[in-house]
Amino acid sequence: MTVYKGYIYVAKKNAGMFLMYLLIFFGITLIFQMMNKDMEVSGYQAEGLKIAVVDEDGKAMAESLKSYLGEIHEVIEMEDDEAILQEKMYYRNIEYVVRIPEDFYQSCIVNGEKLGVTQIPGSYTAFYVEQQLNSYLNNARVYAAAGFTEEEAAESAVTAEVNVELLDTGGNAGQISDYLFYFRYLPYLFLGVLGYVVGSMVSAMRRGDLKRRMQASAVPRRRQSVEGLLACGTVALVLWGIIAAAAVLLYGKELSGNPGNPYYLLNSLAMLCVAVSVSFLVGSVSKGSNSLNGMVNVVSLGMCFLGGAFVPLDVMSAGVKKAAQFLPVYWFEQANDLLGGYGLEIVRGKVLQAIGIQMVFAVAFACITLAVAKKKSGFQ
């Protein structure tokens, strides 16, 4: 296993790069998770505004309207002083003024007259409050037309409830797990780490005196290739093992209760195979450490940006998505997003299809690498 040990020796020399990429990956993942938690909404809640109410009626329907607005907004009762109202609106102490006229029920509910309001010009909040006022007035007019008294209509207009039932069309109850972000950035980690480490291993063995010594060695070329593949596979599996162990430590309870857990791991293994084959190719064509660094940066960042690792696929244009389908990272992210956004039973077939396409990419890159290696060795 001399050749195997030589590859591992080169890998150990790049341990610093290995650890640096791991730290970058975990840092990015934790940052985006915290941002996601900040943006999480536990339930729908209407936005409250500061509304001034000038009540010239004081009867049941007027009290009902103020109670209705008070459930959503901060209602401030004020006198009908134009100067004070304008001053408070100018300094944004209030954003909307509602004037309830005398005999409000008869004039605005029964006769359908407009309710007096004052709003900040060009403010979108005016449309928001106006929609709520119209909803209340229309409900009250329906009760009045049905023969309700003012007190009955006032009580019914406030207590009317609307029940909304959300359909779980995605099969995941609308929940997005934290580990979706963890797996989303795996392509960058795999391509970056394996691009440098595996690429350095392959490049070191195929240039200079070491290449000539291996060609003159008594170890058959086939065995050299097998031991080299074994060494690169060892590095890749160590990386995958660290990632899988970290996922269990960070999201053990969530992952254990998710039926899609094996598919997340299978998807990551498929991406690992792609990264190994790409790294072999990069290491085979690079002419030194400088060219290797440049190629790894272009390949890893390019694939991840276009494939949806850094920029979500749903915000990309149709043209970019079509082009991204020719990249393996796109299919990894497609499977990851499907697992995170839908129930497993709904997307199982599409996830397996995306994993299969990644394996096709891995085989294709491996074939290209073999062709390049054969050409470089002088055999036609």
Side-chain angles (χ1 to χ4, degrees):
M1 301 290 284
T2 306
V3 177
Y4 175 84
K5 291 179 180 178
Y7 274 95
I8 295 299
Y9 174 77
V10 177
K12 288 180 179 179
K13 292 181 66 175
N14 291 277
M17 189 67 69
F18 188 98
L19 293 174
M20 184 189 76
Y21 266 89
L22 279 176
L23 291 175
I24 292 173
F25 168 73
F26 287 119
I28 291 175
T29 303
L30 292 174
I31 289 172
F32 276 93
Q33 276 184 203
M34 288 188 291
M35 291 173 61
N36 180 54
K37 287 182 179 178
D38 290 340
M39 293 186 293
E40 276 185 357
V41 179
S42 57
Y44 174 78
Q45 182 177 1
E47 182 71 20
L49 305 175
K50 292 183 178 181
I51 297 179
V53 175
V54 178
D55 185 3
E56 298 177 354
D57 184 65
K59 297 180 182 177
M61 187 57 70
E63 294 297 328
S64 172
L65 175 58
K66 289 187 289 185
S67 176
Y68 169 78
L69 292 175
E71 291 179 358
I72 306 172
H73 307 283
E74 180 183 346
V75 175
I76 305 170
E77 291 197 49
M78 299 185 65
E79 298 294 331
D80 189 12
D81 190 322
E82 192 72 23
I84 294 177
L85 291 172
Q86 288 182 353
E87 181 182 357
K88 287 188 175 295
M89 186 169 287
Y90 177 81
Y91 290 107
R92 298 302 189 268
N93 293 324
I94 57 174
E95 298 181 61
Y96 203 85
V97 178
V98 178
R99 289 181 170 83
I100 301 177
E102 188 176 354
D103 201 7
F104 171 54
Y105 178 75
Q106 185 65 37
S107 59
C108 294
I109 305 301
V110 177
N111 297 334
E113 296 179 8
K114 287 186 177 182
L115 189 65
V117 298
T118 304
Q119 62 194 38
I120 298 174
S123 173
Y124 72 92
T125 57
F127 299 100
Y128 174 59
V129 180
E130 184 177 354
Q131 183 181 23
Q132 293 167 346
L133 285 173
N134 288 336
S135 176
Y136 174 86
L137 293 173
N138 289 335
N139 286 337
R141 285 163 185 162
V142 169
Y143 291 121
F148 283 52
T149 65
E150 179 177 353
E151 288 74 16
E152 292 172 339
E155 182 179 356
S156 300
V158 173
T159 58
E161 294 183 358
V162 177
N163 295 320
V164 179
E165 182 179 353
L166 297 178
L167 297 178
D168 186 14
T169 57
N172 67 335
Q175 299 295 321
I176 297 179
S177 302
D178 286 340
Y179 51 79
L180 175 68
F181 297 94
Y182 181 85
F183 287 100
R184 173 174 290 172
Y185 303 112
L186 282 184
Y188 177 67
L189 176 67
F190 287 166
L191 290 169
V193 170
L194 298 180
Y196 280 112
V197 179
V198 173
S200 297
M201 294 163 65
V202 175
S203 179
M205 293 295 179
R206 296 187 179 183
R207 69 174 189 265
D209 293 338
L210 188 55
K211 176 183 178 181
R212 289 189 287 270
R213 289 178 183 177
M214 292 184 66
Q215 288 175 342
S217 172
V219 180
R221 185 181 297 273
R222 184 185 298 274
R223 182 172 176 178
Q224 291 180 19
S225 299
V226 170
E227 290 189 23
L229 286 171
L230 183 60
C232 295
T234 300
V235 174
L237 288 176
V238 167
L239 176 62
W240 185 83
I242 293 173
I243 293 302
V248 172
L249 289 174
L250 292 172
Y251 316 105
K253 293 182 179 179
E254 281 188 90
L255 280 173
S256 62
N258 188 340
N261 180 19
Y263 292 87
Y264 277 108
L265 298 178
L266 188 61
N267 191 35
S268 65
L269 274 175
M271 189 65 230
L272 187 76
C273 294
V274 172
V276 171
S277 61
V278 170
S279 302
F280 255 101
L281 178 59
V282 171
S284 299
V285 300
S286 65
K287 297 181 180 180
S289 59
N290 290 332
S291 64
L292 177 66
N293 292 344
M295 293 174 69
V296 169
N297 281 328
V298 171
V299 171
S300 61
L301 292 175
M303 281 192 178
C304 290
F305 270 111
L306 294 175
F310 297 142
V311 180
L313 294 171
D314 55 0
V315 301
M316 291 185 177
S317 65
V320 174
K321 286 184 181 179
K322 287 183 179 179
Q325 292 178 15
F326 294 95
L327 299 173
V329 176
Y330 171 87
W331 296 102
F332 172 87
E333 298 298 343
Q334 186 81 350
N336 191 56
D337 288 348
L338 287 171
L339 289 170
Y342 299 90
L344 178 62
E345 296 301 322
I346 298 176
V347 297
R348 190 195 307 271
K350 291 183 179 180
V351 169
L352 290 174
Q353 180 186 33
I355 292 173
I357 292 174
Q358 290 178 72
M359 296 306 298
V360 171
F361 273 107
V363 173
F365 284 123
C367 292
I368 295 172
T369 303
L370 292 174
V372 171
K374 183 178 180 180
K375 185 175 181 180
K376 283 194 169 188
S377 64
F379 296 99
Q380 301 298 328

